[in-house]
Amino acid sequence: MSRLTLLLVVTLVGLFVTSLLTGPADIGIGESLTALFVGDGGPLTLVMREIRLPRVVLALIIGASLGLAGAAMQGYLRNPLAEPGLIGVSGTAALGAVLAIHTGLSAAFAFGLPLAALTGALLGVLLVMTLAGPRGTSLTLILAGIAVSALAAALTSLVLNLSPNPFAANEIVFWMMGSLADRSMAHVWLALPFTLVGWILLGTLGRGLDALTLGEDAARAMGIQITRLRLQLVVGTACVVGAGTAVAGAIGFVGLVVPHILRPLVGAHPSRLLWASALGGAIMLLAADIAVRVVLPARDLKLGVLTALVGAPLFLHLILKLRKERI
């Protein structure tokens, strides 16, 4: 486990530095790092501190959040096909952002879009918890999340259908693809408080998730409060997914793919998988963000599109693997 953690940390640091040094401007490594840490207030300092650094930090915290939430969700539901968007929070957060673009709030107020997305995430988790009930089962939670996701998707499609402005509709479509371009440190500070709360809530679920591997009855016998654990899981997931969607749009498959890849390396223990998946999620999103700047630098390839292109085949591989295991 310690070797895996060391490998993940070294890879993460390497990708973090590589991402800081990757961009359309042809700038040397020494010159870039000097501008970042020393700085003289010139254009290069502005590029490093206000363009590249926020993008890299957001990739790290959003990727870690999605990986952590995915591992927690899979551990609670005891299903490797579960992912953070299952409870509908990403859909309602996206709906809030879409409404902000449609109504012009995002143009009138600099942080209208992320704040509307966070509001949508909050309303979404309240609706899911109301539908699932305080003593609902895991199946009830899944069904409530699917219902809320379907409703949010339908309302988002309705907004697009009724949009009288083709430019607004185009902006909505591109935002929903997910991207970290043109983000500032203000976006980092907006997402960070919610992200930290979510990390604390999800990161302390290890003992309960390990107990759940024996079944809910056995977990209760070991002193685990299932209702409290579920509430902690849902609120923590809402915090990290809502914050990430608010500032970067919809980015999928990270929370599904990363825990699946790392699970065999941690002995399939949910508690060990949590923080390993957080590191793995940050690595995946940093690597993907580097790729979108290198593969098609002039075409603005969206981050969510790339993660879907990578994640979908792995998802299909997981399905085929599960089918073979049951034969």
Side-chain angles (χ1 to χ4, degrees):
M1 181 63 183
S2 58
R3 291 181 180 179
L4 175 63
T5 302
L6 179 61
L7 177 62
L8 291 174
V9 170
V10 170
T11 304
L12 179 61
V13 172
L15 286 173
F16 188 92
V17 175
T18 302
S19 185
L20 274 176
L21 301 176
T22 302
D26 187 15
I27 307 170
I29 296 177
E31 193 178 359
S32 298
L33 295 178
T34 300
L36 176 64
F37 292 108
V38 180
D40 56 0
L44 183 54
T45 302
L46 183 65
V47 168
M48 293 301 299
R49 293 183 178 179
E50 300 299 327
I51 297 177
R52 292 189 183 179
L53 182 62
R55 183 168 185 161
V56 176
V57 172
L58 283 175
L60 189 152
I61 64 175
I62 293 173
S65 296
L66 294 174
L68 177 62
M73 189 66 66
Q74 291 179 14
Y76 174 74
L77 297 176
R78 286 159 286 171
N79 188 335
L81 298 179
E83 55 98 21
L86 189 64
I87 61 172
V89 176
S90 57
T92 55
L95 175 61
V98 166
L99 288 173
I101 297 173
H102 179 72
T103 58
L105 179 63
S106 60
F109 175 44
F111 292 100
L113 190 150
L115 290 175
L118 287 171
T119 302
L122 174 62
L123 295 176
V125 72
L126 290 176
L127 183 56
V128 168
M129 294 306 298
T130 301
L131 291 173
R135 298 185 180 277
T137 63
S138 300
L139 179 60
T140 308
L141 179 65
I142 294 173
L143 292 175
I146 291 173
V148 171
S149 294
L151 177 62
L155 292 176
T156 300
S157 299
L158 179 63
V159 172
L160 277 169
N161 188 32
L162 298 179
S163 179
N165 187 343
F167 297 103
N170 188 59
E171 184 180 355
I172 290 171
V173 171
F174 276 102
W175 182 87
M176 291 180 64
M177 292 180 183
S179 177
L180 293 174
D182 303 322
R183 301 306 189 265
S184 67
M185 288 304 297
H187 291 92
V188 175
W189 298 125
L190 179 64
L192 192 58
F194 298 95
T195 302
L196 291 177
V197 171
W199 285 358
I200 293 171
L201 291 173
L202 296 174
T204 54
L205 289 175
R207 178 174 175 269
L209 296 179
D210 283 345
L212 272 177
T213 58
L214 303 175
E216 291 191 3
D217 292 337
R220 288 192 181 94
M222 295 171 65
I224 303 300
Q225 299 181 22
I226 302 299
T227 302
R228 179 181 176 182
L229 185 146
R230 184 182 64 172
L231 178 63
Q232 190 174 337
L233 170 75
V234 172
V235 174
T237 301
C239 286
V240 297
V241 174
T245 306
V247 297
I251 299 174
F253 287 97
V254 176
L256 172 65
V257 172
V258 171
H260 170 62
I261 294 174
L262 295 177
R263 183 172 289 106
L265 303 179
V266 298
H269 292 285
S271 59
R272 297 178 182 177
L273 185 60
L274 288 176
W275 294 109
S277 292
L279 293 172
I283 288 170
M284 180 176 177
L285 210 59
L286 279 170
D289 192 47
I290 293 172
V292 299
R293 285 178 277 172
V294 173
V295 176
L296 292 173
R299 298 299 299 272
D300 190 25
L301 179 62
K302 298 300 182 182
L303 183 60
V305 175
L306 183 61
T307 58
L309 288 173
V310 174
L314 291 174
F315 182 68
L316 293 174
H317 169 71
L318 175 59
I319 295 174
L320 294 174
K321 182 179 177 180
L322 290 175
R323 285 182 58 186
K324 291 179 179 179
E325 289 177 354
R326 292 183 178 180
I327 295 176

